[in-house]
Amino acid sequence: MSQPTETITAGGALLARLKVVGVDYIFANSGTDFPPIIAGLAEAAAKDIAWPRAIVIPHEHAAMGMAHGYYLATGRVQAVMAHTNVGLANCAIGAINMATEHVPVLLFSGRTPTLEQGRLGARTVPIGWGQEMRDQTALVREAVKWDYELRFPEQVPEVVDRAYAVACSTPRGPVYVSLPREVLCGPCPSGALDELSRMAPVSFAPTAAAFEQAAAMLAGARNPGIVAQGGAGSAEGFAALAPLADGWGSPVVQYWAIQLAIASDHPMSVGSNPEPWLSEADVVLVLGCLAPWSPAVNKLAPGCKVIQAGPDPLYSRFPVRNFPADLSLPGETADIILGMARAMRPHLAARPDERTIRRARVAARAAGIRAAVRLAAEKGGEGPVMSKAWVSLCLSRAIEGRDATVLSELGCPLDPLTLDSAGSWYQEPHSGGLGWSVPTALGMQLAQPDRLIIATMGDGSYMFANPVACHQIAEALNLPVLLLVLNNREWGAVRMSVLGTYPDGYASRTNQMPLVSLDPTPDFTKVAAASRAWTARVDTPGDLPAVLAAAIAHVTTARTHARVESSVAPA
Ligand SMILES: Cc1ncc(C[n+]2csc(CCOP(=O)(O)OP(=O)(O)O)c2C)c(N)n1
Ligand SMILES: [Mg+2]
């Protein structure tokens, strides 16, 4: 007689399999579709099956942000579980943000029961009917690389393996699986659940010929330039980019950088403005940039050749993106930098004097740019109301000598900050789904409990983050993040956009531009204090350094989260 096959509910199998593929956390926001998941957790515990830590996250947007931050800090993909269509809708901005920056996540949400009666898991309450959709996945389909609806309980291990492998293949990104309740309640064989996945993620790199061609182009350039937006890919990539730029006397422009690719005070680091470099360059290496410059503002020199490099050099997901690509180097950014450093080496013997002169010229101009930025930032602390640049400068001084990560979402500008390591700077993704920085900082802090993590943001961005939920998470999970809110009582970016479009229009002449004011500003400190955060508000520019020092002392010693608000001048 054959042995009866051991089974576990599909909900339990899902959790166990997520552990096998390396998921540490399930950021969960549960609902009536969750009984098989919650029962699965208990069943897995009773049977001593390992599963990831499942934690309650009181808003799905925060759950997605935390998975985003955890990945940025560790390179490890995490899972988010949401409630049917409504929970998934709250995940949509997070999925859009992740997709834009090639950040993977395993996103799951329940699917309301199909049956009205007669089977375990069938509908029991009116929301079973109310949450039915013809195409639930449509809520996130454009943002995901792959999606699937679980059909049979025994599919769980292979669906998880495939979801993981697709999400972690270059270019990385979110995947979505919908989980019908009756299917999750069904039995799944548990005998092989702990076997390793047989589906490895795909990675690729440029061919040797493409590297050689790129190296010949850069080595032959009179004025090479590098534009980097997505950072250098890893600590190794970061360590390799600076000598590459230095060796070739190539300026590195960090235009709208969402990660740091080179130390901001490196002699080849010329700040965030592509001018005048692009108009002088004859070869430009574009490293992981969705939009490396603004064609409406920045003009390439005639004949300038462009090399596009990164996980998806043509950003094929986006309908319109027409930056030139005379050569494309596809692959993970760090591998490309390391490969370019190798491919450039044989060319180093040619024209050494030319490189030395060029390096000295770029370094002198870079030093001038940095001095002007610092001066302007200092001036921003002289008036009655401080500028954002002054806040950046004060923050830079406050974290000097510490291993810190600064996030900015319309918060501290990069240029006045002195940052010199990989992973020290993150800006909101270019999809701009606001409310990103607070939960992303929480996810980073969860991954790196001892690191100083500082999320800086505008007052509007803070409100988009569902602050009550985020403060609750910080307290519940003991995450000592420091939040620094730059409050100008408005959506300054929107106002600036109106002025840019209609510099002499009616709106520019009004005392109070419509649709941008956030006055009266709430007493946000009370929102943070409700979750027992350490709080402070600074109105006088000269008071900021001491308050920042006190806040950093608090988060690093008392180790509970803190929120500092500084009143800043309109943009
Ligand atoms: C979810 C979402 N809604 C709306 C917007 C449009 N938007 C872009 S910038 C911005 C204002 C941000 O305000 P704040 O964080 O206070 O920064 P400020 O511009 O005032 O410096 C808004 C509303 C967006 N990007 N994302
Ligand atoms: Mg604002």
Side-chain angles (χ1 to χ4, degrees):
M1 213 176 83
S2 64
Q3 289 289 319
T5 315
E6 281 273 337
T7 63
I8 182 171
T9 55
L14 178 69
L15 302 164
R17 200 62 199 166
L18 287 172
K19 183 73 184 172
V20 173
V21 297
V23 168
D24 302 320
Y25 286 96
I26 300 170
F27 301 104
N29 191 295
S30 56
T32 46
D33 50 343
F34 268 57
I37 298 286
I38 293 171
L41 277 171
E43 187 179 359
K47 293 180 175 171
D48 224 11
I49 297 172
W51 76 94
R53 228 184 119 194
I55 45 182
V56 173
I57 302 297
H59 197 291
E60 296 84 353
H61 183 65
M64 293 294 278
M66 289 183 76
H68 193 149
Y70 196 95
Y71 173 78
L72 291 178
T74 62
R76 291 165 68 83
V77 63
Q78 303 302 305
V80 170
M81 273 189 198
H83 172 57
T84 64
N85 59 344
V86 288
L88 185 62
N90 275 345
C91 291
I93 292 180
I96 292 168
N97 281 343
M98 287 162 135
T100 312
E101 306 302 353
H102 306 310
V103 172
V105 64
L106 308 182
L107 173 58
F108 300 90
S109 81
R111 181 96 162 86
T112 200
T114 308
L115 298 176
E116 293 174 291
Q117 57 188 319
R119 183 185 271 271
L120 181 63
R123 298 178 190 185
T124 47
V125 287
I127 60 158
W129 286 261
Q131 294 179 342
E132 174 75 288
M133 285 188 87
R134 292 190 296 278
D135 186 3
Q136 177 166 302
T137 303
L139 290 167
V140 292
R141 185 176 284 113
E142 277 219 39
V144 301
K145 293 175 69 179
W146 174 85
D147 61 83
Y148 186 67
E149 179 158 299
L150 193 68
R151 310 269 159 77
F152 298 99
E154 62 271 28
Q155 280 184 295
V156 162
E158 60 197 29
V159 167
V160 171
D161 291 1
R162 185 155 171 75
Y164 170 84
V166 173
C168 295
S169 289
T170 307
R172 296 177 165 209
V175 297
Y176 170 64
V177 180
S178 70
L179 306 167
R181 190 162 89 155
E182 298 98 319
V183 184
L184 273 193
C185 290
C188 175
S190 60
L193 264 184
D194 56 357
E195 284 177 10
L196 290 181
S197 168
R198 301 279 311 270
M199 193 175 288
V202 177
S203 63
F204 49 77
T207 60
F211 270 134
E212 274 167 29
Q213 195 185 341
M217 285 166 74
L218 271 182
R222 296 262 155 228
N223 284 316
I226 298 173
V227 186
Q229 235 158 31
S234 69
E236 295 74 41
F238 190 90
L241 184 62
L244 184 70
D246 207 43
W248 291 91
S250 172
V252 180
V253 180
Q254 303 197 78
Y255 170 68
W256 279 68
I258 53 156
Q259 292 191 34
L260 200 70
I262 190 168
S264 53
D265 59 352
H266 186 277
M268 295 299 110
S269 175
V270 296
S272 58
N273 186 358
E275 288 295 338
W277 313 99
L278 287 178
S279 50
E280 294 175 358
D282 50 353
V283 178
V284 176
L285 173 63
V286 172
L287 276 179
C289 303
L290 173 60
W293 56 85
S294 168
V297 179
N298 313 116
K299 302 296 174 202
L300 281 182
C304 175
K305 297 282 183 220
V306 178
I307 305 167
Q308 297 271 354
D312 181 10
L314 299 185
Y315 286 84
S316 48
R317 210 169 64 76
F318 293 86
V320 175
R321 180 189 181 275
N322 293 316
F323 296 96
D326 299 292
L327 178 65
S328 292
L329 300 179
E332 294 298 337
T333 305
D335 296 337
I336 292 171
I337 294 169
L338 297 170
M340 282 304 292
R342 271 192 300 274
M344 298 291 291
R345 239 171 260 146
H347 295 275
L348 274 169
R351 298 187 280 143
D353 297 344
E354 191 182 311
R355 283 202 309 278
T356 308
I357 295 166
R358 192 165 65 217
R359 187 185 304 124
R361 190 165 41 96
V362 172
R365 286 163 79 180
I369 291 169
R370 263 193 306 283
V373 164
R374 288 249 153 176
L375 191 66
E378 292 279 8
K379 284 213 175 323
E382 287 168 7
V385 191
M386 64 193 110
S387 69
K388 285 190 179 185
W390 167 252
V391 182
S392 261
L393 189 60
C394 294
L395 180 63
S396 192
R397 288 172 176 155
I399 60 173
E400 208 177 312
R402 290 177 184 270
D403 274 343
T405 298
V406 177
L407 296 89
S408 180
E409 183 182 21
L410 295 135
C412 286
L414 174 59
D415 281 336
L417 286 162
T418 304
L419 297 171
D420 61 5
S421 59
S424 60
W425 168 261
Y426 297 91
Q427 192 179 292
E428 84 277 6
H430 292 156
S431 43
L434 295 184
W436 164 89
S437 59
V438 186
T440 301
L442 291 170
M444 286 178 170
Q445 191 81 76
L446 188 66
Q448 301 169 310
D450 297 325
R451 195 171 167 95
L452 176 59
I453 311 272
I454 304 168
T456 76
M457 74 215 78
D459 49 328
S461 298
Y462 174 70
M463 282 193 267
F464 278 114
N466 304 297
V468 171
C470 288
H471 287 298
Q472 193 277 341
I473 296 164
E475 186 178 31
L477 301 179
N478 301 313
L479 301 174
V481 290
L482 170 55
L483 310 181
L484 174 56
V485 179
L486 285 65
N487 189 348
N488 53 13
R489 299 164 177 247
E490 64 165 1
W491 289 336
V494 179
R495 194 166 55 75
M496 293 309 285
S497 174
V498 176
L499 295 179
T501 313
Y502 302 105
D504 306 313
Y506 286 100
S508 74
R509 282 177 254 150
T510 52
N511 285 334
Q512 184 61 63
M513 188 183 284
L515 294 185
V516 299
S517 171
L518 294 176
D519 243 357
T521 193
D523 183 353
F524 289 123
T525 53
K526 290 193 172 136
V527 178
S531 282
R532 290 152 285 273
W534 184 97
T535 66
R537 231 190 84 183
V538 188
D539 294 318
T540 311
D543 293 347
L544 186 59
V547 171
L548 286 177
I552 290 171
H554 176 85
V555 294
T556 53
T557 54
R559 300 191 56 74
T560 71
H561 78 298
R563 183 188 183 285
V564 172
E565 175 162 319
S566 52
S567 312
V568 296

